[in-house]
Amino acid sequence: MKKDALFCVGQKAFIEKDGKVLVLNDPKGGLDFPGGKIQEGEAKLGDVASLTNALKREVREETNLEVEVQEPFVVWYHEFAKDHRNFGKLVYIVGFRCAYVSGDIKLSDEHDRFTWIEAKDFERFDDGSDFSGALKKYFKL
């Protein structure tokens, strides 16, 4: 029998505004989306709201935006590269469709740039990573 996997649970927000999705750049990891790992105590409420509230917190911290969290649409497993600040952490990520509600983007120090993209722009961001695979699923390409 195999051992149980030990990993963090993370969430990513695929925020749509005017038909475009917000894409961030992590200077160490490349293509990224707002979100992160669920912190201690955030999933103890015993309902889905504890998870969506954690994602809203991450989005506010990383982008200064308010969002409405909708349904999950993709999951993937991620291992951070050696030069990344989270090297050694294994993360099971759930991607959620989100709707922009309000705010102007102000990036945290985790990301160095952002853009809003449409499905027709997908190829420019297809780096073969699981993150671009999730974006492809978002756009149903």
Side-chain angles (χ1 to χ4, degrees), residues 89-138:
K89 291 183 180 178
L90 310 175
V91 185
Y92 185 77
I93 301 173
V94 180
F96 285 84
R97 293 180 184 277
C98 295
Y100 167 85
V101 172
S102 65
D104 294 319
I105 294 181
K106 181 180 177 189
L107 294 179
S108 70
D109 60 358
E110 294 179 39
H111 300 98
D112 61 358
R113 63 185 183 273
F114 71 92
T115 190
W116 293 91
I117 73 163
E118 298 175 271
K120 66 182 177 83
D121 300 323
F122 172 76
E123 288 184 15
R124 289 186 337 180
F125 295 88
D126 186 0
D127 60 5
S129 71
D130 291 332
F131 288 83
S132 63
L135 186 59
K136 188 174 186 174
K137 286 182 182 178
Y138 182 89

mmCIF file of all heavy atoms in Angstrom, residues 89-138:
data_model
loop_
_atom_site.group_PDB
_atom_site.id
_atom_site.type_symbol
_atom_site.label_atom_id
_atom_site.label_comp_id
_atom_site.label_asym_id
_atom_site.label_seq_id
_atom_site.Cartn_x
_atom_site.Cartn_y
_atom_site.Cartn_z
ATOM 1 N N LYS A 89 7.464 22.770 -0.984
ATOM 2 C CA LYS A 89 6.041 22.627 -0.697
ATOM 3 C C LYS A 89 5.348 22.016 -1.906
ATOM 4 O O LYS A 89 5.628 22.365 -3.050
ATOM 5 C CB LYS A 89 5.401 23.974 -0.365
ATOM 6 C CG LYS A 89 5.873 24.530 0.960
ATOM 7 C CD LYS A 89 5.174 25.806 1.304
ATOM 8 C CE LYS A 89 5.690 26.322 2.640
ATOM 9 N NZ LYS A 89 5.084 27.592 2.997
ATOM 10 N N LEU A 90 4.464 21.078 -1.634
ATOM 11 C CA LEU A 90 3.659 20.442 -2.663
ATOM 12 C C LEU A 90 2.236 20.951 -2.472
ATOM 13 O O LEU A 90 1.726 20.975 -1.353
ATOM 14 C CB LEU A 90 3.709 18.929 -2.511
ATOM 15 C CG LEU A 90 5.112 18.324 -2.389
ATOM 16 C CD1 LEU A 90 5.017 16.830 -2.119
ATOM 17 C CD2 LEU A 90 5.911 18.595 -3.642
ATOM 18 N N VAL A 91 1.609 21.353 -3.558
ATOM 19 C CA VAL A 91 0.297 21.989 -3.450
ATOM 20 C C VAL A 91 -0.702 21.333 -4.399
ATOM 21 O O VAL A 91 -0.407 21.124 -5.577
ATOM 22 C CB VAL A 91 0.374 23.500 -3.777
ATOM 23 C CG1 VAL A 91 -0.963 24.181 -3.537
ATOM 24 C CG2 VAL A 91 1.456 24.176 -2.966
ATOM 25 N N TYR A 92 -1.850 21.012 -3.874
ATOM 26 C CA TYR A 92 -2.991 20.558 -4.671
ATOM 27 C C TYR A 92 -3.854 21.799 -4.873
ATOM 28 O O TYR A 92 -4.354 22.382 -3.906
ATOM 29 C CB TYR A 92 -3.746 19.459 -3.927
ATOM 30 C CG TYR A 92 -4.861 18.854 -4.733
ATOM 31 C CD1 TYR A 92 -4.588 17.933 -5.738
ATOM 32 C CD2 TYR A 92 -6.179 19.192 -4.498
ATOM 33 C CE1 TYR A 92 -5.611 17.367 -6.486
ATOM 34 C CE2 TYR A 92 -7.208 18.632 -5.235
ATOM 35 C CZ TYR A 92 -6.910 17.718 -6.227
ATOM 36 O OH TYR A 92 -7.920 17.160 -6.969
ATOM 37 N N ILE A 93 -3.998 22.236 -6.108
ATOM 38 C CA ILE A 93 -4.636 23.521 -6.399
ATOM 39 C C ILE A 93 -6.013 23.317 -7.025
ATOM 40 O O ILE A 93 -6.185 22.487 -7.910
ATOM 41 C CB ILE A 93 -3.761 24.356 -7.355
ATOM 42 C CG1 ILE A 93 -2.386 24.593 -6.732
ATOM 43 C CG2 ILE A 93 -4.444 25.680 -7.691
ATOM 44 C CD1 ILE A 93 -1.386 25.252 -7.662
ATOM 45 N N VAL A 94 -6.967 24.118 -6.548
ATOM 46 C CA VAL A 94 -8.313 24.145 -7.103
ATOM 47 C C VAL A 94 -8.500 25.515 -7.759
ATOM 48 O O VAL A 94 -8.301 26.545 -7.116
ATOM 49 C CB VAL A 94 -9.385 23.930 -6.016
ATOM 50 C CG1 VAL A 94 -10.784 23.953 -6.621
ATOM 51 C CG2 VAL A 94 -9.133 22.639 -5.251
ATOM 52 N N GLY A 95 -8.853 25.517 -9.045
ATOM 53 C CA GLY A 95 -9.099 26.765 -9.762
ATOM 54 C C GLY A 95 -10.583 27.094 -9.773
ATOM 55 O O GLY A 95 -11.406 26.240 -10.103
ATOM 56 N N PHE A 96 -10.910 28.329 -9.386
ATOM 57 C CA PHE A 96 -12.298 28.791 -9.324
ATOM 58 C C PHE A 96 -12.560 29.889 -10.346
ATOM 59 O O PHE A 96 -11.740 30.801 -10.503
ATOM 60 C CB PHE A 96 -12.604 29.394 -7.938
ATOM 61 C CG PHE A 96 -12.771 28.392 -6.842
ATOM 62 C CD1 PHE A 96 -11.670 27.881 -6.182
ATOM 63 C CD2 PHE A 96 -14.032 27.966 -6.466
ATOM 64 C CE1 PHE A 96 -11.813 26.956 -5.161
ATOM 65 C CE2 PHE A 96 -14.193 27.039 -5.446
ATOM 66 C CZ PHE A 96 -13.086 26.532 -4.794
ATOM 67 N N ARG A 97 -13.697 29.810 -10.997
ATOM 68 C CA ARG A 97 -14.166 30.936 -11.795
ATOM 69 C C ARG A 97 -14.578 32.024 -10.811
ATOM 70 O O ARG A 97 -15.231 31.748 -9.811
ATOM 71 C CB ARG A 97 -15.372 30.536 -12.647
ATOM 72 C CG ARG A 97 -15.034 29.530 -13.715
ATOM 73 C CD ARG A 97 -16.272 29.163 -14.542
ATOM 74 N NE ARG A 97 -15.927 28.128 -15.488
ATOM 75 C CZ ARG A 97 -15.364 28.346 -16.671
ATOM 76 N NH1 ARG A 97 -15.114 29.582 -17.052
ATOM 77 N NH2 ARG A 97 -15.060 27.339 -17.468
ATOM 78 N N CYS A 98 -14.182 33.258 -11.102
ATOM 79 C CA CYS A 98 -14.517 34.383 -10.237
ATOM 80 C C CYS A 98 -14.940 35.563 -11.104
ATOM 81 O O CYS A 98 -14.453 35.726 -12.220
ATOM 82 C CB CYS A 98 -13.315 34.805 -9.386
ATOM 83 S SG CYS A 98 -12.771 33.569 -8.210
ATOM 84 N N ALA A 99 -15.822 36.378 -10.565
ATOM 85 C CA ALA A 99 -16.264 37.584 -11.256
ATOM 86 C C ALA A 99 -15.680 38.796 -10.546
ATOM 87 O O ALA A 99 -15.708 38.878 -9.306
ATOM 88 C CB ALA A 99 -17.785 37.664 -11.269
ATOM 89 N N TYR A 100 -15.147 39.723 -11.308
ATOM 90 C CA TYR A 100 -14.657 40.995 -10.774
ATOM 91 C C TYR A 100 -15.843 41.741 -10.164
ATOM 92 O O TYR A 100 -16.910 41.829 -10.766
ATOM 93 C CB TYR A 100 -14.022 41.812 -11.900
ATOM 94 C CG TYR A 100 -13.765 43.243 -11.539
ATOM 95 C CD1 TYR A 100 -12.604 43.614 -10.868
ATOM 96 C CD2 TYR A 100 -14.686 44.235 -11.848
ATOM 97 C CE1 TYR A 100 -12.367 44.932 -10.528
ATOM 98 C CE2 TYR A 100 -14.468 45.560 -11.515
ATOM 99 C CZ TYR A 100 -13.300 45.903 -10.853
ATOM 100 O OH TYR A 100 -13.084 47.211 -10.507
ATOM 101 N N VAL A 101 -15.644 42.306 -8.966
ATOM 102 C CA VAL A 101 -16.672 43.106 -8.319
ATOM 103 C C VAL A 101 -16.240 44.566 -8.251
ATOM 104 O O VAL A 101 -16.967 45.459 -8.684
ATOM 105 C CB VAL A 101 -17.009 42.566 -6.899
ATOM 106 C CG1 VAL A 101 -17.944 43.506 -6.160
ATOM 107 C CG2 VAL A 101 -17.598 41.163 -6.992
ATOM 108 N N SER A 102 -15.022 44.815 -7.701
ATOM 109 C CA SER A 102 -14.558 46.198 -7.582
ATOM 110 C C SER A 102 -13.062 46.246 -7.288
ATOM 111 O O SER A 102 -12.445 45.236 -6.951
ATOM 112 C CB SER A 102 -15.323 46.922 -6.463
ATOM 113 O OG SER A 102 -15.031 46.327 -5.208
ATOM 114 N N GLY A 103 -12.518 47.455 -7.400
ATOM 115 C CA GLY A 103 -11.130 47.702 -7.044
ATOM 116 C C GLY A 103 -10.240 47.961 -8.239
ATOM 117 O O GLY A 103 -10.569 47.632 -9.377
ATOM 118 N N ASP A 104 -9.115 48.605 -7.948
ATOM 119 C CA ASP A 104 -8.065 48.842 -8.929
ATOM 120 C C ASP A 104 -6.881 47.981 -8.539
ATOM 121 O O ASP A 104 -6.542 47.867 -7.352
ATOM 122 C CB ASP A 104 -7.647 50.313 -8.935
ATOM 123 C CG ASP A 104 -8.774 51.219 -9.410
ATOM 124 O OD1 ASP A 104 -9.463 50.840 -10.377
ATOM 125 O OD2 ASP A 104 -8.964 52.300 -8.807
ATOM 126 N N ILE A 105 -6.221 47.403 -9.511
ATOM 127 C CA ILE A 105 -5.129 46.468 -9.227
ATOM 128 C C ILE A 105 -3.937 47.180 -8.608
ATOM 129 O O ILE A 105 -3.452 48.186 -9.123
ATOM 130 C CB ILE A 105 -4.698 45.709 -10.489
ATOM 131 C CG1 ILE A 105 -5.834 44.807 -10.945
ATOM 132 C CG2 ILE A 105 -3.429 44.895 -10.226
ATOM 133 C CD1 ILE A 105 -5.541 43.992 -12.167
ATOM 134 N N LYS A 106 -3.516 46.640 -7.481
ATOM 135 C CA LYS A 106 -2.271 47.036 -6.818
ATOM 136 C C LYS A 106 -1.616 45.716 -6.422
ATOM 137 O O LYS A 106 -2.076 45.040 -5.499
ATOM 138 C CB LYS A 106 -2.548 47.904 -5.596
ATOM 139 C CG LYS A 106 -1.285 48.338 -4.902
ATOM 140 C CD LYS A 106 -1.577 49.197 -3.689
ATOM 141 C CE LYS A 106 -0.254 49.532 -3.012
ATOM 142 N NZ LYS A 106 -0.467 50.170 -1.722
ATOM 143 N N LEU A 107 -0.554 45.338 -7.143
ATOM 144 C CA LEU A 107 0.077 44.043 -6.917
ATOM 145 C C LEU A 107 0.893 44.009 -5.631
ATOM 146 O O LEU A 107 1.552 44.985 -5.274
ATOM 147 C CB LEU A 107 1.003 43.686 -8.089
ATOM 148 C CG LEU A 107 0.337 43.441 -9.435
ATOM 149 C CD1 LEU A 107 1.403 43.128 -10.481
ATOM 150 C CD2 LEU A 107 -0.686 42.314 -9.360
ATOM 151 N N SER A 108 0.862 42.854 -4.970
ATOM 152 C CA SER A 108 1.740 42.624 -3.822
ATOM 153 C C SER A 108 3.141 42.344 -4.362
ATOM 154 O O SER A 108 3.353 42.275 -5.581
ATOM 155 C CB SER A 108 1.247 41.422 -3.007
ATOM 156 O OG SER A 108 1.457 40.224 -3.741
ATOM 157 N N ASP A 109 4.090 42.126 -3.472
ATOM 158 C CA ASP A 109 5.469 41.859 -3.904
ATOM 159 C C ASP A 109 5.653 40.436 -4.442
ATOM 160 O O ASP A 109 6.743 40.080 -4.878
ATOM 161 C CB ASP A 109 6.458 42.143 -2.783
ATOM 162 C CG ASP A 109 6.224 41.288 -1.549
ATOM 163 O OD1 ASP A 109 5.270 40.481 -1.524
ATOM 164 O OD2 ASP A 109 6.998 41.435 -0.591
ATOM 165 N N GLU A 110 4.595 39.622 -4.459
ATOM 166 C CA GLU A 110 4.682 38.265 -4.994
ATOM 167 C C GLU A 110 4.669 38.233 -6.519
ATOM 168 O O GLU A 110 5.080 37.244 -7.123
ATOM 169 C CB GLU A 110 3.527 37.403 -4.471
ATOM 170 C CG GLU A 110 3.582 37.156 -2.991
ATOM 171 C CD GLU A 110 2.411 36.320 -2.512
ATOM 172 O OE1 GLU A 110 2.016 35.385 -3.231
ATOM 173 O OE2 GLU A 110 1.887 36.609 -1.425
ATOM 174 N N HIS A 111 4.174 39.314 -7.133
ATOM 175 C CA HIS A 111 4.055 39.368 -8.593
ATOM 176 C C HIS A 111 4.629 40.678 -9.102
ATOM 177 O O HIS A 111 4.590 41.686 -8.398
ATOM 178 C CB HIS A 111 2.588 39.219 -9.012
ATOM 179 C CG HIS A 111 1.989 37.935 -8.556
ATOM 180 N ND1 HIS A 111 1.221 37.843 -7.413
ATOM 181 C CD2 HIS A 111 2.081 36.681 -9.051
ATOM 182 C CE1 HIS A 111 0.854 36.580 -7.236
ATOM 183 N NE2 HIS A 111 1.372 35.859 -8.218
ATOM 184 N N ASP A 112 5.157 40.641 -10.330
ATOM 185 C CA ASP A 112 5.776 41.859 -10.864
ATOM 186 C C ASP A 112 5.023 42.497 -12.023
ATOM 187 O O ASP A 112 5.340 43.602 -12.435
ATOM 188 C CB ASP A 112 7.236 41.599 -11.256
ATOM 189 C CG ASP A 112 7.394 40.544 -12.334
ATOM 190 O OD1 ASP A 112 6.384 39.956 -12.784
ATOM 191 O OD2 ASP A 112 8.554 40.283 -12.720
ATOM 192 N N ARG A 113 4.026 41.804 -12.565
ATOM 193 C CA ARG A 113 3.209 42.412 -13.616
ATOM 194 C C ARG A 113 1.916 41.621 -13.793
ATOM 195 O O ARG A 113 1.791 40.502 -13.316
ATOM 196 C CB ARG A 113 3.967 42.559 -14.923
ATOM 197 C CG ARG A 113 4.416 41.301 -15.583
ATOM 198 C CD ARG A 113 5.269 41.623 -16.839
ATOM 199 N NE ARG A 113 5.654 40.421 -17.514
ATOM 200 C CZ ARG A 113 6.721 39.690 -17.248
ATOM 201 N NH1 ARG A 113 7.544 40.062 -16.287
ATOM 202 N NH2 ARG A 113 6.990 38.591 -17.930
ATOM 203 N N PHE A 114 0.982 42.240 -14.528
ATOM 204 C CA PHE A 114 -0.311 41.608 -14.770
ATOM 205 C C PHE A 114 -0.820 42.032 -16.134
ATOM 206 O O PHE A 114 -0.364 43.021 -16.710
ATOM 207 C CB PHE A 114 -1.327 41.992 -13.692
ATOM 208 C CG PHE A 114 -1.791 43.423 -13.780
ATOM 209 C CD1 PHE A 114 -2.926 43.756 -14.512
ATOM 210 C CD2 PHE A 114 -1.087 44.436 -13.149
ATOM 211 C CE1 PHE A 114 -3.353 45.071 -14.603
ATOM 212 C CE2 PHE A 114 -1.504 45.758 -13.244
ATOM 213 C CZ PHE A 114 -2.638 46.072 -13.964
ATOM 214 N N THR A 115 -1.779 41.280 -16.630
ATOM 215 C CA THR A 115 -2.493 41.644 -17.850
ATOM 216 C C THR A 115 -3.842 40.955 -17.833
ATOM 217 O O THR A 115 -4.036 39.960 -17.139
ATOM 218 C CB THR A 115 -1.684 41.270 -19.115
ATOM 219 O OG1 THR A 115 -2.309 41.852 -20.254
ATOM 220 C CG2 THR A 115 -1.591 39.768 -19.295
ATOM 221 N N TRP A 116 -4.769 41.512 -18.569
ATOM 222 C CA TRP A 116 -6.083 40.908 -18.769
ATOM 223 C C TRP A 116 -6.056 40.294 -20.158
ATOM 224 O O TRP A 116 -5.720 40.980 -21.121
ATOM 225 C CB TRP A 116 -7.190 41.951 -18.676
ATOM 226 C CG TRP A 116 -7.352 42.545 -17.311
ATOM 227 C CD1 TRP A 116 -6.741 43.653 -16.826
ATOM 228 C CD2 TRP A 116 -8.176 42.052 -16.252
ATOM 229 N NE1 TRP A 116 -7.136 43.897 -15.525
ATOM 230 C CE2 TRP A 116 -8.016 42.921 -15.154
ATOM 231 C CE3 TRP A 116 -9.031 40.964 -16.122
ATOM 232 C CZ2 TRP A 116 -8.684 42.740 -13.954
ATOM 233 C CZ3 TRP A 116 -9.699 40.787 -14.924
ATOM 234 C CH2 TRP A 116 -9.530 41.667 -13.848
ATOM 235 N N ILE A 117 -6.398 39.007 -20.296
ATOM 236 C CA ILE A 117 -6.324 38.372 -21.608
ATOM 237 C C ILE A 117 -7.655 37.760 -22.029
ATOM 238 O O ILE A 117 -8.475 37.387 -21.194
ATOM 239 C CB ILE A 117 -5.207 37.311 -21.679
ATOM 240 C CG1 ILE A 117 -5.574 36.058 -20.898
ATOM 241 C CG2 ILE A 117 -3.884 37.869 -21.208
ATOM 242 C CD1 ILE A 117 -4.730 34.870 -21.266
ATOM 243 N N GLU A 118 -7.812 37.650 -23.324
ATOM 244 C CA GLU A 118 -8.971 36.986 -23.933
ATOM 245 C C GLU A 118 -8.523 35.630 -24.461
ATOM 246 O O GLU A 118 -7.324 35.375 -24.610
ATOM 247 C CB GLU A 118 -9.507 37.819 -25.099
ATOM 248 C CG GLU A 118 -10.006 39.183 -24.694
ATOM 249 C CD GLU A 118 -10.397 40.004 -25.908
ATOM 250 O OE1 GLU A 118 -9.539 40.699 -26.456
ATOM 251 O OE2 GLU A 118 -11.589 39.916 -26.281
ATOM 252 N N ALA A 119 -9.479 34.791 -24.795
ATOM 253 C CA ALA A 119 -9.162 33.457 -25.325
ATOM 254 C C ALA A 119 -8.268 33.546 -26.552
ATOM 255 O O ALA A 119 -7.355 32.737 -26.714
ATOM 256 C CB ALA A 119 -10.448 32.701 -25.658
ATOM 257 N N LYS A 120 -8.464 34.552 -27.407
ATOM 258 C CA LYS A 120 -7.662 34.670 -28.622
ATOM 259 C C LYS A 120 -6.193 34.968 -28.314
ATOM 260 O O LYS A 120 -5.332 34.778 -29.169
ATOM 261 C CB LYS A 120 -8.241 35.730 -29.561
ATOM 262 C CG LYS A 120 -8.178 37.144 -29.030
ATOM 263 C CD LYS A 120 -8.822 38.117 -30.019
ATOM 264 C CE LYS A 120 -8.842 39.519 -29.501
ATOM 265 N NZ LYS A 120 -7.639 40.250 -29.697
ATOM 266 N N ASP A 121 -5.883 35.416 -27.100
ATOM 267 C CA ASP A 121 -4.506 35.712 -26.694
ATOM 268 C C ASP A 121 -3.816 34.525 -26.031
ATOM 269 O O ASP A 121 -2.653 34.620 -25.641
ATOM 270 C CB ASP A 121 -4.483 36.884 -25.696
ATOM 271 C CG ASP A 121 -5.073 38.151 -26.264
ATOM 272 O OD1 ASP A 121 -4.872 38.409 -27.475
ATOM 273 O OD2 ASP A 121 -5.730 38.891 -25.508
ATOM 274 N N PHE A 122 -4.545 33.413 -25.886
ATOM 275 C CA PHE A 122 -4.038 32.288 -25.095
ATOM 276 C C PHE A 122 -2.653 31.810 -25.520
ATOM 277 O O PHE A 122 -1.788 31.565 -24.680
ATOM 278 C CB PHE A 122 -5.014 31.109 -25.129
ATOM 279 C CG PHE A 122 -4.447 29.875 -24.489
ATOM 280 C CD1 PHE A 122 -4.370 29.780 -23.109
ATOM 281 C CD2 PHE A 122 -3.941 28.837 -25.257
ATOM 282 C CE1 PHE A 122 -3.817 28.664 -22.500
ATOM 283 C CE2 PHE A 122 -3.398 27.719 -24.665
ATOM 284 C CZ PHE A 122 -3.333 27.635 -23.278
ATOM 285 N N GLU A 123 -2.419 31.681 -26.789
ATOM 286 C CA GLU A 123 -1.152 31.116 -27.264
ATOM 287 C C GLU A 123 0.064 31.880 -26.752
ATOM 288 O O GLU A 123 1.111 31.286 -26.509
ATOM 289 C CB GLU A 123 -1.136 31.031 -28.789
ATOM 290 C CG GLU A 123 -2.045 29.936 -29.310
ATOM 291 C CD GLU A 123 -1.966 29.764 -30.808
ATOM 292 O OE1 GLU A 123 -1.023 30.288 -31.435
ATOM 293 O OE2 GLU A 123 -2.861 29.104 -31.354
ATOM 294 N N ARG A 124 -0.049 33.181 -26.580
ATOM 295 C CA ARG A 124 1.080 33.979 -26.054
ATOM 296 C C ARG A 124 1.451 33.571 -24.634
ATOM 297 O O ARG A 124 2.566 33.808 -24.196
ATOM 298 C CB ARG A 124 0.727 35.461 -26.038
ATOM 299 C CG ARG A 124 0.640 36.095 -27.383
ATOM 300 C CD ARG A 124 0.446 37.570 -27.279
ATOM 301 N NE ARG A 124 -0.145 37.930 -25.994
ATOM 302 C CZ ARG A 124 -0.441 39.155 -25.615
ATOM 303 N NH1 ARG A 124 -0.225 40.143 -26.396
ATOM 304 N NH2 ARG A 124 -0.994 39.391 -24.441
ATOM 305 N N PHE A 125 0.502 32.987 -23.902
ATOM 306 C CA PHE A 125 0.724 32.640 -22.504
ATOM 307 C C PHE A 125 0.876 31.138 -22.279
ATOM 308 O O PHE A 125 1.040 30.694 -21.150
ATOM 309 C CB PHE A 125 -0.415 33.187 -21.640
ATOM 310 C CG PHE A 125 -0.452 34.682 -21.646
ATOM 311 C CD1 PHE A 125 -1.164 35.365 -22.621
ATOM 312 C CD2 PHE A 125 0.264 35.399 -20.716
ATOM 313 C CE1 PHE A 125 -1.171 36.747 -22.656
ATOM 314 C CE2 PHE A 125 0.269 36.785 -20.736
ATOM 315 C CZ PHE A 125 -0.449 37.462 -21.709
ATOM 316 N N ASP A 126 0.839 30.360 -23.357
ATOM 317 C CA ASP A 126 0.944 28.911 -23.249
ATOM 318 C C ASP A 126 2.414 28.517 -23.113
ATOM 319 O O ASP A 126 3.128 28.392 -24.100
ATOM 320 C CB ASP A 126 0.310 28.232 -24.461
ATOM 321 C CG ASP A 126 0.280 26.720 -24.321
ATOM 322 O OD1 ASP A 126 0.746 26.195 -23.290
ATOM 323 O OD2 ASP A 126 -0.213 26.065 -25.256
ATOM 324 N N ASP A 127 2.839 28.322 -21.864
ATOM 325 C CA ASP A 127 4.225 27.930 -21.604
ATOM 326 C C ASP A 127 4.339 26.431 -21.324
ATOM 327 O O ASP A 127 5.389 25.948 -20.916
ATOM 328 C CB ASP A 127 4.809 28.738 -20.447
ATOM 329 C CG ASP A 127 4.048 28.554 -19.138
ATOM 330 O OD1 ASP A 127 3.109 27.722 -19.082
ATOM 331 O OD2 ASP A 127 4.395 29.241 -18.157
ATOM 332 N N GLY A 128 3.253 25.708 -21.527
ATOM 333 C CA GLY A 128 3.260 24.264 -21.297
ATOM 334 C C GLY A 128 3.091 23.866 -19.842
ATOM 335 O O GLY A 128 3.062 22.684 -19.522
ATOM 336 N N SER A 129 2.954 24.828 -18.960
ATOM 337 C CA SER A 129 2.807 24.543 -17.528
ATOM 338 C C SER A 129 1.383 24.116 -17.197
ATOM 339 O O SER A 129 0.465 24.280 -18.007
ATOM 340 C CB SER A 129 3.162 25.792 -16.705
ATOM 341 O OG SER A 129 2.159 26.788 -16.866
ATOM 342 N N ASP A 130 1.214 23.595 -15.989
ATOM 343 C CA ASP A 130 -0.127 23.268 -15.511
ATOM 344 C C ASP A 130 -0.983 24.529 -15.403
ATOM 345 O O ASP A 130 -2.195 24.472 -15.548
ATOM 346 C CB ASP A 130 -0.062 22.567 -14.157
ATOM 347 C CG ASP A 130 0.542 21.179 -14.256
ATOM 348 O OD1 ASP A 130 0.429 20.557 -15.337
ATOM 349 O OD2 ASP A 130 1.135 20.711 -13.274
ATOM 350 N N PHE A 131 -0.343 25.670 -15.148
ATOM 351 C CA PHE A 131 -1.068 26.928 -15.045
ATOM 352 C C PHE A 131 -1.658 27.311 -16.398
ATOM 353 O O PHE A 131 -2.807 27.739 -16.486
ATOM 354 C CB PHE A 131 -0.158 28.037 -14.512
ATOM 355 C CG PHE A 131 0.168 27.884 -13.061
ATOM 356 C CD1 PHE A 131 1.185 27.047 -12.639
ATOM 357 C CD2 PHE A 131 -0.546 28.574 -12.100
ATOM 358 C CE1 PHE A 131 1.478 26.887 -11.296
ATOM 359 C CE2 PHE A 131 -0.261 28.434 -10.749
ATOM 360 C CZ PHE A 131 0.753 27.585 -10.351
ATOM 361 N N SER A 132 -0.891 27.151 -17.485
ATOM 362 C CA SER A 132 -1.448 27.455 -18.805
ATOM 363 C C SER A 132 -2.482 26.400 -19.199
ATOM 364 O O SER A 132 -3.463 26.711 -19.889
ATOM 365 C CB SER A 132 -0.365 27.602 -19.870
ATOM 366 O OG SER A 132 0.355 26.421 -20.061
ATOM 367 N N GLY A 133 -2.306 25.158 -18.751
ATOM 368 C CA GLY A 133 -3.318 24.128 -18.991
ATOM 369 C C GLY A 133 -4.640 24.487 -18.331
ATOM 370 O O GLY A 133 -5.711 24.269 -18.904
ATOM 371 N N ALA A 134 -4.565 25.058 -17.124
ATOM 372 C CA ALA A 134 -5.780 25.487 -16.427
ATOM 373 C C ALA A 134 -6.434 26.646 -17.176
ATOM 374 O O ALA A 134 -7.666 26.699 -17.300
ATOM 375 C CB ALA A 134 -5.446 25.890 -14.992
ATOM 376 N N LEU A 135 -5.626 27.566 -17.685
ATOM 377 C CA LEU A 135 -6.164 28.690 -18.445
ATOM 378 C C LEU A 135 -6.842 28.194 -19.725
ATOM 379 O O LEU A 135 -7.910 28.685 -20.107
ATOM 380 C CB LEU A 135 -5.044 29.680 -18.777
ATOM 381 C CG LEU A 135 -5.453 30.978 -19.455
ATOM 382 C CD1 LEU A 135 -6.449 31.761 -18.599
ATOM 383 C CD2 LEU A 135 -4.219 31.822 -19.746
ATOM 384 N N LYS A 136 -6.248 27.195 -20.338
ATOM 385 C CA LYS A 136 -6.838 26.598 -21.540
ATOM 386 C C LYS A 136 -8.204 26.000 -21.210
ATOM 387 O O LYS A 136 -9.171 26.168 -21.962
ATOM 388 C CB LYS A 136 -5.896 25.530 -22.084
ATOM 389 C CG LYS A 136 -6.303 24.975 -23.409
ATOM 390 C CD LYS A 136 -5.222 24.023 -23.927
ATOM 391 C CE LYS A 136 -5.531 23.566 -25.335
ATOM 392 N NZ LYS A 136 -4.444 22.770 -25.909
ATOM 393 N N LYS A 137 -8.308 25.318 -20.066
ATOM 394 C CA LYS A 137 -9.598 24.766 -19.651
ATOM 395 C C LYS A 137 -10.603 25.878 -19.361
ATOM 396 O O LYS A 137 -11.792 25.738 -19.643
ATOM 397 C CB LYS A 137 -9.432 23.863 -18.423
ATOM 398 C CG LYS A 137 -8.813 22.541 -18.760
ATOM 399 C CD LYS A 137 -8.706 21.656 -17.541
ATOM 400 C CE LYS A 137 -8.031 20.344 -17.932
ATOM 401 N NZ LYS A 137 -7.860 19.453 -16.796
ATOM 402 N N TYR A 138 -10.114 26.976 -18.785
ATOM 403 C CA TYR A 138 -11.008 28.094 -18.501
ATOM 404 C C TYR A 138 -11.663 28.586 -19.793
ATOM 405 O O TYR A 138 -12.867 28.812 -19.850
ATOM 406 C CB TYR A 138 -10.255 29.249 -17.831
ATOM 407 C CG TYR A 138 -11.164 30.394 -17.498
ATOM 408 C CD1 TYR A 138 -11.826 30.431 -16.283
ATOM 409 C CD2 TYR A 138 -11.416 31.406 -18.415
ATOM 410 C CE1 TYR A 138 -12.713 31.457 -15.978
ATOM 411 C CE2 TYR A 138 -12.294 32.441 -18.122
ATOM 412 C CZ TYR A 138 -12.936 32.462 -16.907
ATOM 413 O OH TYR A 138 -13.816 33.471 -16.609
#
